[in-house]
Amino acid sequence: MEARERIGLAALGTIGLVLAVGGFVLHSPAPHSAVAEAAMAGAETTNPQPVPAVKAGQAPAPIPAAQPTPYADCLRKGIGMKLGRASLRVSGPPALTLVTGEKADEEINFSTKAGLEKACSQPEVTAKALVLTLEAMDKPFGAAASWRAEFCKEGEDTATLFLCRGEERPSGALRSLATIALYEPASFQGDSMFQTQAPDLDNFKAWKDRLTKAGTPPPAQPDGDYDVYPGGIWLERDAKSAAPFLVSCDVDGLPVTGEHYCVGTLGLEGDLRARLEFRTVTPQIGREAAAAAAHFKVLLAAWQAAASHSAPVSSQSGK
């Protein structure tokens, strides 16, 4: 099936969410110089002091330990945020961006010094969307490397370890779950932040019902806990959550072969919606979709639990 036919099916009936917020399109940023990365992370960028010469018979001076960034305590404790009716406390890796308004510059980007200062200077942030670009966590330089050194330690909670390491995968392989966006669709068109739109459950159901009433229901075949529909659509079967996970993948047909990139939408309690992007190199896309949703739910539960145990955030949110 042609790509445009797949796209047309996945977005069937969707009202164009073409909000001009190009500044929100969040993919891995271009590499920066070492000085620029240090400045973004809040580290000192002054020239290093010269190392004194070691006299004969004298032990060399010890190498000073790396100092944490000025915002380490703030980021480890987490940033309190209000998103719709939900209260969250999210640890602040450089992969995180909080969208705070409708304009392209109304955001808090944790990969910048200005973003860290803004987030850490207030008890709670009211956001319209949260975006986590997990691929940025694997960069071997700059803010991401500093964050891993300070936060990714043995004994940390499951959510932090997933942020640091991702799912189990072969050495050198990219993460499967690449991007997470969380927003309230009633008040913010979160899907418009991205170049590729995610499938919409209501539109999918309307398309399926229309064909079924016409006597030509769309064919489907099982894939684990998912049903596969024409056009590369995977729909979670018998979902126990607020809504099933609906996924659209760039597949050419069945059986599935090769590497593919998928985007899906997951309805949540409190009228929130999650947009998940993940890649797969297995024909069992249903299994990969289930894993992506499970990893996200672990993160979300940790953020909610941290907010509920934080007195300042609770008082700020009116609880």
Side-chain angles (χ1 to χ4, degrees):
M1 180 174 288
E2 293 297 331
R4 59 178 177 270
E5 294 176 332
R6 297 196 306 273
I7 296 174
L9 176 59
L12 186 63
T14 305
I15 297 177
L17 303 179
V18 193
L19 186 63
V21 287
F24 290 158
V25 178
L26 298 169
H27 293 287
S28 300
H32 298 274
S33 67
V35 174
E37 287 289 350
M40 291 169 65
E44 294 293 336
T45 59
T46 55
N47 294 327
Q49 297 296 320
V51 179
V54 179
K55 298 180 180 179
Q58 180 181 4
I63 299 175
Q67 297 299 315
T69 66
Y71 307 100
D73 290 340
C74 165
L75 299 183
R76 185 179 295 109
K77 182 181 178 182
I79 305 300
M81 62 173 295
K82 191 76 174 176
L83 183 62
R85 293 182 293 165
S87 293
L88 309 172
R89 179 165 286 276
V90 183
S91 54
L96 178 66
T97 297
L98 300 181
V99 180
T100 56
E102 300 288 346
K103 298 180 181 179
D105 60 346
E106 294 179 312
E107 65 180 29
I108 300 176
N109 188 337
F110 284 70
S111 69
T112 68
K113 185 173 182 292
L116 290 172
E117 289 178 343
K118 186 174 183 179
C120 293
S121 65
Q122 48 192 311
E124 184 178 67
V125 176
T126 298
K128 291 183 174 294
L130 172 156
V131 180
L132 195 60
T133 309
L134 292 167
E135 292 175 308
M137 290 304 302
D138 295 332
K139 289 188 175 181
F141 55 84
S146 299
W147 192 90
R148 283 199 304 274
E150 295 173 5
F151 297 96
C152 304
K153 301 174 183 178
E154 295 295 334
E156 293 287 355
D157 61 279
T158 302
T160 300
L161 290 178
F162 179 76
L163 286 174
C164 298
R165 303 175 184 176
E167 64 282 327
E168 293 186 7
R169 61 194 190 279
S171 178
L174 296 174
R175 291 180 183 235
S176 174
L177 184 56
T179 303
I180 292 171
L182 185 64
Y183 58 96
E184 186 182 45
S187 60
F188 184 72
Q189 295 178 333
D191 199 43
S192 65
M193 295 186 294
F194 299 87
Q195 294 177 342
T196 302
Q197 289 188 347
D200 182 84
L201 182 61
D202 291 336
N203 294 331
F204 172 82
K205 288 181 176 178
W207 169 78
K208 182 180 177 182
D209 290 344
R210 185 169 61 252
L211 292 181
T212 301
K213 291 178 180 179
T216 56
Q221 65 182 63
D223 178 10
D225 293 330
Y226 286 72
D227 287 325
V228 189
Y229 290 86
I233 300 294
W234 271 254
L235 178 64
E236 185 182 8
R237 189 187 320 109
D238 300 328
K240 297 180 181 179
S241 58
F245 191 24
L246 181 66
V247 175
S248 174
C249 301
D250 58 348
V251 301
D252 295 322
L254 301 177
V256 178
T257 58
E259 180 178 344
H260 300 283
Y261 201 83
C262 305
V263 55
T265 52
L266 180 64
L268 302 166
E269 295 180 359
D271 297 326
L272 294 180
R273 179 177 296 174
R275 173 196 165 103
L276 308 179
E277 295 185 14
F278 63 95
R279 57 174 57 85
T280 174
V281 294
T282 171
Q284 297 175 315
I285 289 181
R287 184 182 67 184
E288 297 296 322
H295 287 311
F296 163 72
K297 289 176 180 178
V298 169
L299 289 173
L300 180 60
W303 296 338
Q304 292 172 327
S308 65
H309 292 107
S310 175
V313 173
S314 297
S315 61
Q316 288 287 333
S317 60
K319 290 184 177 181

mmCIF file of all heavy atoms in Angstrom, residues 127-174:
data_model
loop_
_atom_site.group_PDB
_atom_site.id
_atom_site.type_symbol
_atom_site.label_atom_id
_atom_site.label_comp_id
_atom_site.label_asym_id
_atom_site.label_seq_id
_atom_site.Cartn_x
_atom_site.Cartn_y
_atom_site.Cartn_z
ATOM 1 N N ALA A 127 1.845 23.649 32.882
ATOM 2 C CA ALA A 127 2.233 23.338 31.506
ATOM 3 C C ALA A 127 1.033 22.888 30.693
ATOM 4 O O ALA A 127 0.042 22.383 31.229
ATOM 5 C CB ALA A 127 3.309 22.251 31.484
ATOM 6 N N LYS A 128 1.141 23.083 29.401
ATOM 7 C CA LYS A 128 0.138 22.577 28.468
ATOM 8 C C LYS A 128 0.534 21.221 27.896
ATOM 9 O O LYS A 128 -0.306 20.461 27.426
ATOM 10 C CB LYS A 128 -0.076 23.579 27.331
ATOM 11 C CG LYS A 128 -0.758 24.874 27.775
ATOM 12 C CD LYS A 128 -1.012 25.788 26.607
ATOM 13 C CE LYS A 128 -1.811 27.010 27.039
ATOM 14 N NZ LYS A 128 -3.173 26.657 27.483
ATOM 15 N N ALA A 129 1.827 20.935 27.904
ATOM 16 C CA ALA A 129 2.312 19.664 27.384
ATOM 17 C C ALA A 129 3.683 19.375 27.965
ATOM 18 O O ALA A 129 4.431 20.282 28.338
ATOM 19 C CB ALA A 129 2.379 19.679 25.855
ATOM 20 N N LEU A 130 3.979 18.104 28.049
ATOM 21 C CA LEU A 130 5.295 17.615 28.450
ATOM 22 C C LEU A 130 5.835 16.786 27.309
ATOM 23 O O LEU A 130 5.130 15.927 26.769
ATOM 24 C CB LEU A 130 5.160 16.776 29.719
ATOM 25 C CG LEU A 130 6.354 15.989 30.262
ATOM 26 C CD1 LEU A 130 6.163 15.742 31.762
ATOM 27 C CD2 LEU A 130 6.555 14.639 29.567
ATOM 28 N N VAL A 131 7.077 17.028 26.915
ATOM 29 C CA VAL A 131 7.694 16.261 25.841
ATOM 30 C C VAL A 131 9.031 15.736 26.323
ATOM 31 O O VAL A 131 9.855 16.493 26.840
ATOM 32 C CB VAL A 131 7.885 17.108 24.569
ATOM 33 C CG1 VAL A 131 8.533 16.268 23.467
ATOM 34 C CG2 VAL A 131 6.551 17.665 24.092
ATOM 35 N N LEU A 132 9.242 14.455 26.166
ATOM 36 C CA LEU A 132 10.471 13.799 26.592
ATOM 37 C C LEU A 132 11.091 13.107 25.383
ATOM 38 O O LEU A 132 10.521 12.148 24.849
ATOM 39 C CB LEU A 132 10.165 12.779 27.692
ATOM 40 C CG LEU A 132 11.323 12.236 28.512
ATOM 41 C CD1 LEU A 132 12.047 13.355 29.244
ATOM 42 C CD2 LEU A 132 10.818 11.213 29.516
ATOM 43 N N THR A 133 12.233 13.625 24.925
ATOM 44 C CA THR A 133 12.931 13.045 23.777
ATOM 45 C C THR A 133 14.002 12.110 24.314
ATOM 46 O O THR A 133 15.132 12.516 24.598
ATOM 47 C CB THR A 133 13.553 14.145 22.902
ATOM 48 O OG1 THR A 133 12.557 15.134 22.606
ATOM 49 C CG2 THR A 133 14.080 13.575 21.596
ATOM 50 N N LEU A 134 13.644 10.833 24.460
ATOM 51 C CA LEU A 134 14.500 9.895 25.162
ATOM 52 C C LEU A 134 15.826 9.651 24.453
ATOM 53 O O LEU A 134 16.830 9.334 25.101
ATOM 54 C CB LEU A 134 13.749 8.572 25.349
ATOM 55 C CG LEU A 134 12.563 8.654 26.312
ATOM 56 C CD1 LEU A 134 11.696 7.412 26.207
ATOM 57 C CD2 LEU A 134 13.038 8.837 27.739
ATOM 58 N N GLU A 135 15.868 9.810 23.143
ATOM 59 C CA GLU A 135 17.113 9.582 22.422
ATOM 60 C C GLU A 135 18.206 10.538 22.890
ATOM 61 O O GLU A 135 19.389 10.215 22.841
ATOM 62 C CB GLU A 135 16.884 9.743 20.918
ATOM 63 C CG GLU A 135 16.011 8.651 20.334
ATOM 64 C CD GLU A 135 15.702 8.889 18.867
ATOM 65 O OE1 GLU A 135 15.236 9.998 18.540
ATOM 66 O OE2 GLU A 135 15.927 7.983 18.066
ATOM 67 N N ALA A 136 17.817 11.722 23.347
ATOM 68 C CA ALA A 136 18.808 12.698 23.806
ATOM 69 C C ALA A 136 19.535 12.215 25.057
ATOM 70 O O ALA A 136 20.627 12.700 25.358
ATOM 71 C CB ALA A 136 18.133 14.036 24.084
ATOM 72 N N MET A 137 18.951 11.264 25.781
ATOM 73 C CA MET A 137 19.588 10.777 26.996
ATOM 74 C C MET A 137 20.840 9.955 26.706
ATOM 75 O O MET A 137 21.654 9.729 27.590
ATOM 76 C CB MET A 137 18.598 9.922 27.787
ATOM 77 C CG MET A 137 17.459 10.703 28.405
ATOM 78 S SD MET A 137 18.025 12.029 29.482
ATOM 79 C CE MET A 137 19.006 11.115 30.646
ATOM 80 N N ASP A 138 20.998 9.476 25.485
ATOM 81 C CA ASP A 138 22.118 8.604 25.162
ATOM 82 C C ASP A 138 23.318 9.341 24.590
ATOM 83 O O ASP A 138 24.309 8.706 24.227
ATOM 84 C CB ASP A 138 21.665 7.520 24.163
ATOM 85 C CG ASP A 138 20.638 6.581 24.781
ATOM 86 O OD1 ASP A 138 20.663 6.408 26.009
ATOM 87 O OD2 ASP A 138 19.815 6.027 24.037
ATOM 88 N N LYS A 139 23.253 10.654 24.479
ATOM 89 C CA LYS A 139 24.379 11.386 23.915
ATOM 90 C C LYS A 139 25.586 11.290 24.848
ATOM 91 O O LYS A 139 25.455 11.468 26.060
ATOM 92 C CB LYS A 139 23.999 12.853 23.681
ATOM 93 C CG LYS A 139 23.029 13.034 22.531
ATOM 94 C CD LYS A 139 22.840 14.494 22.208
ATOM 95 C CE LYS A 139 21.965 14.670 20.973
ATOM 96 N NZ LYS A 139 21.782 16.091 20.614
ATOM 97 N N PRO A 140 26.748 11.040 24.295
ATOM 98 C CA PRO A 140 27.930 10.837 25.143
ATOM 99 C C PRO A 140 28.612 12.127 25.555
ATOM 100 O O PRO A 140 29.716 12.101 26.087
ATOM 101 C CB PRO A 140 28.842 10.001 24.236
ATOM 102 C CG PRO A 140 28.521 10.476 22.862
ATOM 103 C CD PRO A 140 27.036 10.774 22.864
ATOM 104 N N PHE A 141 28.027 13.273 25.311
ATOM 105 C CA PHE A 141 28.668 14.538 25.624
ATOM 106 C C PHE A 141 27.625 15.521 26.143
ATOM 107 O O PHE A 141 26.423 15.298 26.033
ATOM 108 C CB PHE A 141 29.342 15.130 24.376
ATOM 109 C CG PHE A 141 28.409 15.277 23.204
ATOM 110 C CD1 PHE A 141 27.589 16.385 23.064
ATOM 111 C CD2 PHE A 141 28.322 14.271 22.250
ATOM 112 C CE1 PHE A 141 26.720 16.508 21.987
ATOM 113 C CE2 PHE A 141 27.448 14.387 21.171
ATOM 114 C CZ PHE A 141 26.648 15.503 21.046
ATOM 115 N N GLY A 142 28.096 16.615 26.712
ATOM 116 C CA GLY A 142 27.223 17.718 27.084
ATOM 117 C C GLY A 142 26.303 17.426 28.249
ATOM 118 O O GLY A 142 26.612 16.654 29.154
ATOM 119 N N ALA A 143 25.136 18.080 28.229
ATOM 120 C CA ALA A 143 24.205 18.027 29.349
ATOM 121 C C ALA A 143 23.730 16.616 29.636
ATOM 122 O O ALA A 143 23.551 16.236 30.794
ATOM 123 C CB ALA A 143 23.011 18.940 29.072
ATOM 124 N N ALA A 144 23.514 15.825 28.604
ATOM 125 C CA ALA A 144 23.028 14.458 28.815
ATOM 126 C C ALA A 144 24.055 13.623 29.564
ATOM 127 O O ALA A 144 23.721 12.865 30.481
ATOM 128 C CB ALA A 144 22.694 13.811 27.471
ATOM 129 N N ALA A 145 25.318 13.742 29.185
ATOM 130 C CA ALA A 145 26.370 12.987 29.853
ATOM 131 C C ALA A 145 26.488 13.403 31.315
ATOM 132 O O ALA A 145 26.664 12.563 32.209
ATOM 133 C CB ALA A 145 27.689 13.175 29.123
ATOM 134 N N SER A 146 26.395 14.703 31.591
ATOM 135 C CA SER A 146 26.458 15.192 32.968
ATOM 136 C C SER A 146 25.276 14.671 33.779
ATOM 137 O O SER A 146 25.421 14.284 34.936
ATOM 138 C CB SER A 146 26.470 16.721 32.981
ATOM 139 O OG SER A 146 27.593 17.230 32.295
ATOM 140 N N TRP A 147 24.102 14.670 33.161
ATOM 141 C CA TRP A 147 22.906 14.188 33.864
ATOM 142 C C TRP A 147 23.050 12.718 34.239
ATOM 143 O O TRP A 147 22.762 12.319 35.363
ATOM 144 C CB TRP A 147 21.686 14.395 32.984
ATOM 145 C CG TRP A 147 20.383 14.207 33.715
ATOM 146 C CD1 TRP A 147 19.665 15.161 34.362
ATOM 147 C CD2 TRP A 147 19.663 12.987 33.875
ATOM 148 N NE1 TRP A 147 18.534 14.621 34.910
ATOM 149 C CE2 TRP A 147 18.502 13.296 34.632
ATOM 150 C CE3 TRP A 147 19.867 11.677 33.468
ATOM 151 C CZ2 TRP A 147 17.575 12.330 34.974
ATOM 152 C CZ3 TRP A 147 18.932 10.711 33.807
ATOM 153 C CH2 TRP A 147 17.798 11.042 34.560
ATOM 154 N N ARG A 148 23.537 11.912 33.299
ATOM 155 C CA ARG A 148 23.706 10.480 33.596
ATOM 156 C C ARG A 148 24.692 10.271 34.731
ATOM 157 O O ARG A 148 24.487 9.428 35.604
ATOM 158 C CB ARG A 148 24.163 9.731 32.344
ATOM 159 C CG ARG A 148 23.051 9.475 31.346
ATOM 160 C CD ARG A 148 23.444 8.346 30.395
ATOM 161 N NE ARG A 148 24.700 8.633 29.726
ATOM 162 C CZ ARG A 148 24.806 9.337 28.606
ATOM 163 N NH1 ARG A 148 23.712 9.835 28.043
ATOM 164 N NH2 ARG A 148 25.969 9.554 28.045
ATOM 165 N N ALA A 149 25.786 11.032 34.729
ATOM 166 C CA ALA A 149 26.803 10.857 35.761
ATOM 167 C C ALA A 149 26.256 11.165 37.142
ATOM 168 O O ALA A 149 26.653 10.561 38.132
ATOM 169 C CB ALA A 149 28.007 11.751 35.457
ATOM 170 N N GLU A 150 25.308 12.093 37.240
ATOM 171 C CA GLU A 150 24.785 12.517 38.537
ATOM 172 C C GLU A 150 23.569 11.730 38.986
ATOM 173 O O GLU A 150 23.335 11.570 40.177
ATOM 174 C CB GLU A 150 24.442 14.010 38.481
ATOM 175 C CG GLU A 150 25.664 14.898 38.282
ATOM 176 C CD GLU A 150 25.291 16.348 38.060
ATOM 177 O OE1 GLU A 150 24.090 16.666 38.159
ATOM 178 O OE2 GLU A 150 26.187 17.151 37.773
ATOM 179 N N PHE A 151 22.779 11.234 38.057
ATOM 180 C CA PHE A 151 21.500 10.626 38.414
ATOM 181 C C PHE A 151 21.423 9.122 38.173
ATOM 182 O O PHE A 151 20.621 8.448 38.803
ATOM 183 C CB PHE A 151 20.364 11.309 37.646
ATOM 184 C CG PHE A 151 20.211 12.757 37.982
ATOM 185 C CD1 PHE A 151 20.797 13.725 37.203
ATOM 186 C CD2 PHE A 151 19.490 13.158 39.097
ATOM 187 C CE1 PHE A 151 20.676 15.064 37.512
ATOM 188 C CE2 PHE A 151 19.356 14.497 39.412
ATOM 189 C CZ PHE A 151 19.949 15.450 38.623
ATOM 190 N N CYS A 152 22.189 8.617 37.243
ATOM 191 C CA CYS A 152 22.040 7.216 36.840
ATOM 192 C C CYS A 152 22.946 6.337 37.691
ATOM 193 O O CYS A 152 24.044 5.959 37.273
ATOM 194 C CB CYS A 152 22.343 7.055 35.356
ATOM 195 S SG CYS A 152 21.324 8.110 34.312
ATOM 196 N N LYS A 153 22.498 6.040 38.868
ATOM 197 C CA LYS A 153 23.283 5.244 39.801
ATOM 198 C C LYS A 153 22.508 3.987 40.180
ATOM 199 O O LYS A 153 21.300 3.919 40.060
ATOM 200 C CB LYS A 153 23.601 6.067 41.054
ATOM 201 C CG LYS A 153 24.370 7.349 40.775
ATOM 202 C CD LYS A 153 24.525 8.177 42.037
ATOM 203 C CE LYS A 153 25.237 9.483 41.744
ATOM 204 N NZ LYS A 153 25.357 10.337 42.953
ATOM 205 N N GLU A 154 23.246 2.997 40.667
ATOM 206 C CA GLU A 154 22.599 1.769 41.121
ATOM 207 C C GLU A 154 21.682 2.093 42.296
ATOM 208 O O GLU A 154 21.963 2.952 43.129
ATOM 209 C CB GLU A 154 23.646 0.743 41.545
ATOM 210 C CG GLU A 154 24.517 0.256 40.401
ATOM 211 C CD GLU A 154 23.723 -0.517 39.362
ATOM 212 O OE1 GLU A 154 22.673 -1.088 39.726
ATOM 213 O OE2 GLU A 154 24.151 -0.552 38.199
ATOM 214 N N GLY A 155 20.562 1.400 42.365
ATOM 215 C CA GLY A 155 19.639 1.590 43.467
ATOM 216 C C GLY A 155 18.614 2.674 43.245
ATOM 217 O O GLY A 155 17.763 2.899 44.098
ATOM 218 N N GLU A 156 18.690 3.374 42.099
ATOM 219 C CA GLU A 156 17.698 4.410 41.825
ATOM 220 C C GLU A 156 16.357 3.752 41.481
ATOM 221 O O GLU A 156 16.264 2.557 41.234
ATOM 222 C CB GLU A 156 18.162 5.301 40.671
ATOM 223 C CG GLU A 156 19.386 6.136 40.990
ATOM 224 C CD GLU A 156 19.060 7.289 41.931
ATOM 225 O OE1 GLU A 156 17.867 7.480 42.248
ATOM 226 O OE2 GLU A 156 20.006 7.974 42.357
ATOM 227 N N ASP A 157 15.309 4.544 41.450
ATOM 228 C CA ASP A 157 13.989 4.002 41.165
ATOM 229 C C ASP A 157 13.897 3.542 39.712
ATOM 230 O O ASP A 157 14.711 3.919 38.854
ATOM 231 C CB ASP A 157 12.919 5.056 41.438
ATOM 232 C CG ASP A 157 13.104 6.292 40.561
ATOM 233 O OD1 ASP A 157 13.940 7.139 40.909
ATOM 234 O OD2 ASP A 157 12.434 6.378 39.533
ATOM 235 N N THR A 158 12.896 2.729 39.437
ATOM 236 C CA THR A 158 12.737 2.123 38.119
ATOM 237 C C THR A 158 12.579 3.174 37.023
ATOM 238 O O THR A 158 13.143 3.039 35.935
ATOM 239 C CB THR A 158 11.521 1.185 38.112
ATOM 240 O OG1 THR A 158 11.700 0.186 39.124
ATOM 241 C CG2 THR A 158 11.361 0.507 36.761
ATOM 242 N N ALA A 159 11.827 4.222 37.313
ATOM 243 C CA ALA A 159 11.595 5.251 36.304
ATOM 244 C C ALA A 159 12.894 5.943 35.913
ATOM 245 O O ALA A 159 13.175 6.151 34.726
ATOM 246 C CB ALA A 159 10.586 6.271 36.828
ATOM 247 N N THR A 160 13.730 6.285 36.905
ATOM 248 C CA THR A 160 14.986 6.955 36.602
ATOM 249 C C THR A 160 15.924 6.041 35.835
ATOM 250 O O THR A 160 16.601 6.465 34.894
ATOM 251 C CB THR A 160 15.661 7.440 37.899
ATOM 252 O OG1 THR A 160 14.802 8.345 38.572
ATOM 253 C CG2 THR A 160 16.982 8.134 37.596
ATOM 254 N N LEU A 161 15.973 4.779 36.215
ATOM 255 C CA LEU A 161 16.834 3.836 35.507
ATOM 256 C C LEU A 161 16.397 3.683 34.050
ATOM 257 O O LEU A 161 17.231 3.547 33.157
ATOM 258 C CB LEU A 161 16.825 2.477 36.215
ATOM 259 C CG LEU A 161 17.531 2.441 37.571
ATOM 260 C CD1 LEU A 161 17.415 1.059 38.202
ATOM 261 C CD2 LEU A 161 18.998 2.839 37.430
ATOM 262 N N PHE A 162 15.089 3.729 33.811
ATOM 263 C CA PHE A 162 14.637 3.636 32.419
ATOM 264 C C PHE A 162 15.020 4.890 31.649
ATOM 265 O O PHE A 162 15.427 4.819 30.486
ATOM 266 C CB PHE A 162 13.125 3.423 32.352
ATOM 267 C CG PHE A 162 12.612 3.343 30.939
ATOM 268 C CD1 PHE A 162 12.798 2.204 30.199
ATOM 269 C CD2 PHE A 162 11.987 4.425 30.352
ATOM 270 C CE1 PHE A 162 12.359 2.133 28.878
ATOM 271 C CE2 PHE A 162 11.546 4.376 29.045
ATOM 272 C CZ PHE A 162 11.731 3.218 28.307
ATOM 273 N N LEU A 163 14.918 6.043 32.284
ATOM 274 C CA LEU A 163 15.351 7.272 31.629
ATOM 275 C C LEU A 163 16.838 7.190 31.272
ATOM 276 O O LEU A 163 17.262 7.652 30.218
ATOM 277 C CB LEU A 163 15.115 8.478 32.541
ATOM 278 C CG LEU A 163 13.668 8.947 32.722
ATOM 279 C CD1 LEU A 163 13.617 10.057 33.764
ATOM 280 C CD2 LEU A 163 13.075 9.416 31.403
ATOM 281 N N CYS A 164 17.611 6.602 32.155
ATOM 282 C CA CYS A 164 19.062 6.542 31.951
ATOM 283 C C CYS A 164 19.458 5.499 30.922
ATOM 284 O O CYS A 164 20.348 5.744 30.097
ATOM 285 C CB CYS A 164 19.757 6.232 33.268
ATOM 286 S SG CYS A 164 19.506 7.484 34.549
ATOM 287 N N ARG A 165 18.855 4.335 30.962
ATOM 288 C CA ARG A 165 19.326 3.205 30.169
ATOM 289 C C ARG A 165 18.386 2.804 29.042
ATOM 290 O O ARG A 165 18.810 2.227 28.050
ATOM 291 C CB ARG A 165 19.532 1.995 31.090
ATOM 292 C CG ARG A 165 20.496 2.250 32.234
ATOM 293 C CD ARG A 165 20.551 1.052 33.157
ATOM 294 N NE ARG A 165 21.412 1.306 34.317
ATOM 295 C CZ ARG A 165 21.564 0.451 35.315
ATOM 296 N NH1 ARG A 165 20.898 -0.700 35.312
ATOM 297 N NH2 ARG A 165 22.358 0.746 36.333
ATOM 298 N N GLY A 166 17.101 3.075 29.204
ATOM 299 C CA GLY A 166 16.148 2.581 28.228
ATOM 300 C C GLY A 166 15.900 1.092 28.414
ATOM 301 O O GLY A 166 16.342 0.484 29.388
ATOM 302 N N GLU A 167 15.188 0.509 27.485
ATOM 303 C CA GLU A 167 14.903 -0.913 27.564
ATOM 304 C C GLU A 167 16.155 -1.731 27.212
ATOM 305 O O GLU A 167 17.125 -1.205 26.668
ATOM 306 C CB GLU A 167 13.761 -1.273 26.603
ATOM 307 C CG GLU A 167 14.093 -1.061 25.139
ATOM 308 C CD GLU A 167 14.030 0.399 24.718
ATOM 309 O OE1 GLU A 167 13.193 1.141 25.266
ATOM 310 O OE2 GLU A 167 14.824 0.801 23.860
ATOM 311 N N GLU A 168 16.145 -3.000 27.544
ATOM 312 C CA GLU A 168 17.268 -3.861 27.178
ATOM 313 C C GLU A 168 17.349 -3.970 25.660
ATOM 314 O O GLU A 168 16.346 -4.196 24.987
ATOM 315 C CB GLU A 168 17.092 -5.251 27.801
ATOM 316 C CG GLU A 168 17.199 -5.262 29.328
ATOM 317 C CD GLU A 168 17.155 -6.666 29.881
ATOM 318 O OE1 GLU A 168 17.168 -7.625 29.070
ATOM 319 O OE2 GLU A 168 17.088 -6.819 31.115
ATOM 320 N N ARG A 169 18.562 -3.807 25.141
ATOM 321 C CA ARG A 169 18.748 -3.849 23.694
ATOM 322 C C ARG A 169 20.213 -4.152 23.399
ATOM 323 O O ARG A 169 21.067 -3.969 24.263
ATOM 324 C CB ARG A 169 18.341 -2.508 23.069
ATOM 325 C CG ARG A 169 19.148 -1.317 23.561
ATOM 326 C CD ARG A 169 18.469 -0.018 23.162
ATOM 327 N NE ARG A 169 19.289 1.160 23.385
ATOM 328 C CZ ARG A 169 19.426 1.767 24.561
ATOM 329 N NH1 ARG A 169 18.802 1.283 25.616
ATOM 330 N NH2 ARG A 169 20.183 2.844 24.679
ATOM 331 N N PRO A 170 20.507 -4.600 22.182
ATOM 332 C CA PRO A 170 21.898 -4.881 21.837
ATOM 333 C C PRO A 170 22.773 -3.649 21.973
ATOM 334 O O PRO A 170 22.311 -2.510 21.813
ATOM 335 C CB PRO A 170 21.803 -5.341 20.366
ATOM 336 C CG PRO A 170 20.395 -5.801 20.193
ATOM 337 C CD PRO A 170 19.572 -4.943 21.104
ATOM 338 N N SER A 171 24.045 -3.859 22.268
ATOM 339 C CA SER A 171 24.975 -2.752 22.438
ATOM 340 C C SER A 171 25.037 -1.901 21.177
ATOM 341 O O SER A 171 25.179 -2.414 20.070
ATOM 342 C CB SER A 171 26.370 -3.281 22.770
ATOM 343 O OG SER A 171 27.293 -2.222 22.886
ATOM 344 N N GLY A 172 24.876 -0.595 21.343
ATOM 345 C CA GLY A 172 24.931 0.318 20.210
ATOM 346 C C GLY A 172 23.608 0.537 19.514
ATOM 347 O O GLY A 172 23.505 1.430 18.669
ATOM 348 N N ALA A 173 22.597 -0.261 19.836
ATOM 349 C CA ALA A 173 21.295 -0.121 19.185
ATOM 350 C C ALA A 173 20.548 1.082 19.765
ATOM 351 O O ALA A 173 20.697 1.415 20.945
ATOM 352 C CB ALA A 173 20.463 -1.388 19.371
ATOM 353 N N LEU A 174 19.761 1.744 18.936
ATOM 354 C CA LEU A 174 18.968 2.872 19.388
ATOM 355 C C LEU A 174 17.845 2.403 20.312
ATOM 356 O O LEU A 174 17.414 1.244 20.251
ATOM 357 C CB LEU A 174 18.371 3.613 18.191
ATOM 358 C CG LEU A 174 19.367 4.280 17.246
ATOM 359 C CD1 LEU A 174 18.637 4.838 16.025
ATOM 360 C CD2 LEU A 174 20.142 5.386 17.951
#
